Structure formats: structure tokens, C-alpha cells
Amino acid sequence: MHNISKITEDLFWLGANDRRLALFENVYPLPLGVSYNAYMLRDEKTVLLDTVDSAVSGQFFENLAAALQGRALDYLIVNHMEPDHCAEIARVLQVYPAAKIVCNAQTKRMIAQFFDLNLPDEQYVLVKEGDTLNTGRHILQFIMAPMVHWPEVMMTYDATDKTLFSADAFGTFGTLNGNIFADEVDFARDYLDEARRYYTNIVGKYGPQVQAVLKKAAGLEIARICPLHGFIWRQNLGWFIEKYAQWAAYEAEEKGVLIAYGSIYGHTQNAVEILALKLAERGVKNIKMHDVSVTHASYIVADAFKFGTLVFAAATYNGGIFTPMDNLLRDLTAHNLQNRRMATLDNGTWAALAGKQMREEIAKWKNCTVIEPQISIKSALTDAQQSDLDALADAIVAQM
Ligand code: FEO
């Protein structure tokens, strides 16, 4: 049975929720699940905007048939060719063989890579920046959004109803539980953390490209945003767009300290627990701590984008950085994290090398300040090193 939802008189959500998937992209945990959003514009022409992941194809095709109300499908707009949205293109064309695919040239090449379809050129409506498609009452305009999150990504702007179909941008992890609009839930309380984790891990590397698209969007009158994951936005758009602007510019959202530590027997943890207390004594209120062996890296990446000051503490392992911390730092390098203040602390029973190597990795990040002193402990913190932690806490507070 279909579960389509009405957005406007002639626009419908016909996506589906996946509550079973353990790891999005086989990497990111999904404690709240995820939605794959597809949309139907039922104008003089019928227009499907994207498809869904194959995991939810059954629901999607029931929804598609219901949204069409017995009509043929005229157009399938492909805004993004990643399989969580494009997986059902071939089957859509099997069921609706006369549908034309509206996409850009790069998407057309990717369709040929993913599917053995051999479609005639006449079945494609190839579009580029600023091109429009008239579907009757609606005029759809196409906005290229390369690397948000793949190179072929584009957005579709309905100039008639001022709706932006934003592809992955403005999405969030989390299923839609009846309420499909962000203004129907307490988004800031219940979903902002997942929206940040989604953005920073999936698209975070491409800040300049996101900024370029935000600049284009600033020239549009936008009444609602329909992303490919998560809630539809029709109120308070500026608040969420501002979050994106901050994340894309690698600006910290909050004045606070993130402490990420990798500890084998607890001595490195002990040192940062004491550091956290010393920060608290100095009036720091916003301190977040993660054990890198316990917390999935995607949560720590998201918090590294959120906080302005970062402390990394790790034991030495195999002559290098304790493995989960090594992976985290490389992950942050890959995500282009920048504009932060950072301190490091290491531990080694016979050769404390992790501090030097952590700093070498951090040195790859743009516009980051390293806070002194670098603290190196041998097996366990000594009484004499309490004053080093005091000095580090003072220096962190001074830089905040
Ligand atoms: Fe939701 Fe880049 O795919």
C-alpha cells in the first residue's frame, strides 16, 4: 500500500524509510535510520525527481504508481547518480519505457556505467546550468552543483512554486516518522547532530563547492527545500542555510573543547580526564570527550567541525599513533578540516612517538594553531606533570 505524502497541491513525497540498514555507505552507523526521498510533480507533464535505494524499491514503486494515478511518466529528473538515489532508474524505465531522462552530460555517462540500458539519445533531455524545462504550470530550472556530493550533482529549482530540489544538500540521517517537514519536529534538539554528522562526513571535504552552490542559491527566492534525505524545509530556512554556510566555511559553531583520546590501559585517559577538570575549573563549560576506540569516527568528525578547540591524546602503538586515533586524524585530513586551535598529548612507555606524528598529520590542516605545551607522558602521569596540564589548560583557555 502506498504511503505518499502531499507537499503542495501537485507535489508529492514518494520516498521510503530504511530502518534496517546498519551502515550508510557501508561506513556510517544509522541509529535513527535514513530516508531516501523521491518526489513527483504532477503537472501537465508528470515528473519524477530521482529514485531511491534498491533496499526500499518495493515501497517506492507502489508510491510511484499511486502518485501517477494511472498516468504515464513523462520525465525522470536525475539530480544525483549515487546508487542510494539512482538504483531504480533501470526498473523505472522498464515500467515506464516512454519516460525521458532529464540529466546533464556527466550523469548520462554515469547511467551508462551503472546500467546496461543502451538508451537512444532521444530518450535523454540533456541540461546544463540555467536550462529550463516547462512541464505545464511549472518551469524547472537546473543548477549544477558539482561535488555536492559527486561531480555530476545538480539541483532542480521550480521557479513557479519556489521549490529547490537540493539533492544531498540539506539532508540529514534519520527516517521520516510521519512528519515529513522539519517544522513539525524539534529539529535543533533531535536532528541537528545527525544533520551535522551527515553533512560533515558525506560532503564536508567539499566546502568550497558547497559555498559556490550556496552563493547561487542566495540569488533564488526559495519557499521550500526538498532534499534527498530527511526533512523537507518550508520554515526557518535561513537558520539551516546558515548552518551549512558555517560548515562549508569550516567555521566552528561553538566555543568549546573537544577532547578525543586513544588510551590502551587508561593512563592516557586519566591525563585528559584531569585536563578536562582543569578546563572546567577555569570556567570552560562546553567540553566534549570521545574515546576513539569506543565512539564511531563519524561522530568525532562531526564534533570536530562543531567545536573550535580540539585536543588529541593518544598512546604510541607500533612506533606510531594508536590505530583508532591514527585513523581519525587521517579521516579529518581527508575532510579538509581547518581553522581550529589544537593541542596534543601522547604517551609511550619506552618511546613516546605519537605526539610528533599527530602534529605532523595536523600540520596538513589549513589555518590551524597548535597550542603549547605538547605533553608527553611516560606510562603514567607524574605529579610533576600536573603543572604541565595546568599550563596547557591555561593556554587553551587563553586561545578560546
Ligand atoms: Fe545520498 Fe550522495 O547520495
Side-chain angles (χ1 to χ4, degrees):
M1 180 61 72
H2 77 79
N3 62 353
I4 61 176
S5 294
K6 193 172 176 179
I7 300 168
T8 67
E9 280 309 306
D10 54 7
L11 179 63
F12 303 88
W13 175 85
L14 47 132
N17 294 308
D18 191 339
R19 302 175 195 277
R20 295 185 177 189
L21 184 66
L23 297 174
F24 186 77
E25 292 187 354
N26 217 7
V27 182
Y28 307 110
L30 289 173
L32 304 179
V34 68
S35 78
Y36 304 107
N37 299 342
Y39 301 95
M40 162 67 56
L41 185 62
R42 207 162 56 206
D43 201 358
E44 287 173 25
K45 299 289 187 187
T46 56
V47 184
L48 171 64
L49 292 110
D50 293 292
T51 73
V52 293
D53 189 274
S54 57
V56 294
S57 65
Q59 184 67 64
F60 168 71
F61 277 97
E62 288 199 38
N63 287 352
L64 178 55
L68 282 168
Q69 296 183 316
R71 294 172 61 185
L73 177 64
D74 295 308
Y75 294 114
L76 164 58
I77 295 176
V78 182
N79 284 314
H80 188 11
M81 262 310 287
E82 191 165 6
D84 54 335
H85 310 293
C86 78
E88 296 306 319
I89 288 179
R91 209 169 137 204
V92 165
L93 293 173
Q94 274 174 7
V95 181
Y96 306 99
K100 293 206 167 185
I101 297 181
V102 182
C103 66
N104 59 48
Q106 194 160 15
T107 298
K108 185 184 174 194
R109 285 195 290 278
M110 287 186 179
I111 289 174
Q113 289 171 201
F114 275 108
F115 301 106
D116 187 17
L117 285 172
N118 287 320
L119 298 173
D121 282 347
E122 308 82 74
Q123 195 149 7
Y124 285 97
V125 178
L126 287 186
V127 296
K128 51 190 183 331
E129 180 75 29
D131 283 356
T132 57
L133 177 71
N134 188 331
T135 63
R137 190 174 82 81
H138 295 264
I139 305 230
L140 305 180
Q141 184 184 333
F142 301 100
I143 298 161
M144 300 304 124
M147 302 319 297
V148 186
H149 131 240
W150 277 17
E152 87 300 349
V153 170
M154 66 180 194
M155 298 182 181
T156 300
Y157 175 63
D158 177 349
T160 308
D161 279 355
K162 318 294 183 208
T163 302
L164 181 67
F165 298 94
S166 60
D168 274 340
F170 304 110
T172 182
F173 290 140
T175 53
L176 298 175
N177 306 317
N179 300 118
I180 64 168
F181 298 103
D183 54 271
E184 295 177 324
V185 298
D186 191 334
F187 190 90
R189 185 192 66 194
D190 297 334
Y191 293 98
L192 178 60
D193 285 347
E194 282 297 81
R196 184 187 303 102
R197 190 167 68 91
Y198 165 83
Y199 170 84
T200 54
N201 284 278
I202 309 287
V203 194
K205 176 181 173 67
Y206 305 111
Q209 291 89 339
V210 174
Q211 286 180 308
V213 171
L214 290 175
K215 207 169 161 186
K216 289 189 203 178
L220 302 171
E221 190 185 336
I222 300 172
R224 67 186 65 74
I225 296 176
C226 295
L228 286 173
H229 300 284
F231 298 93
I232 294 160
W233 288 79
R234 60 182 181 183
Q235 290 178 20
N236 216 8
L237 273 61
W239 176 82
F240 200 36
I241 291 170
E242 179 54 29
K243 290 287 178 198
Y244 260 69
Q246 280 184 310
W247 297 335
Y250 305 97
E251 276 174 20
E253 274 171 274
E254 292 184 14
K255 196 171 159 180
V257 181
L258 167 68
I259 300 174
Y261 66 90
S263 187
I264 303 168
Y265 292 105
H267 300 92
T268 306
Q269 177 182 348
N270 176 247
V272 289
E273 298 276 14
I274 294 168
L275 175 64
L277 289 174
K278 290 181 183 298
L279 290 170
E281 284 166 8
R282 286 160 176 76
V284 180
K285 290 195 168 59
N286 198 4
I287 304 168
K288 186 93 175 261
M289 296 183 75
H290 288 296
D291 182 331
V292 295
S293 301
V294 174
T295 307
H296 189 273
S298 63
Y299 292 88
I300 311 176
V301 167
D303 276 340
F305 273 69
K306 180 178 176 183
F307 290 98
T309 303
L310 317 177
V311 177
F312 298 105
T316 301
Y317 202 70
N318 288 329
I321 306 166
F322 183 50
T323 316
M325 177 63 78
D326 195 21
N327 292 340
L328 172 70
L329 294 176
R330 288 173 199 276
D331 207 1
L332 289 168
T333 302
H335 283 88
N336 270 339
L337 185 69
Q338 43 199 279
N339 305 330
R340 294 295 184 275
R341 296 168 296 280
M342 291 173 300
T344 57
L345 181 151
D346 75 352
N347 190 356
T349 294
W350 63 94
L353 295 168
K356 177 174 175 288
Q357 294 178 30
M358 284 194 289
R359 288 190 170 208
E360 284 168 0
E361 191 63 29
I362 287 166
K364 297 174 184 170
W365 307 353
K366 281 187 204 155
N367 195 27
C368 288
T369 309
V370 175
I371 303 170
E372 303 292 351
Q374 144 77 21
I375 296 177
S376 191
I377 60 178
K378 286 207 181 324
S379 306
L381 194 72
T382 62
D383 277 344
Q385 284 181 308
Q386 289 278 357
S387 59
D388 293 340
L389 285 177
D390 281 318
L392 181 57
D394 285 339
I396 288 171
V397 171
Q399 301 237 11
M400 284 179 76

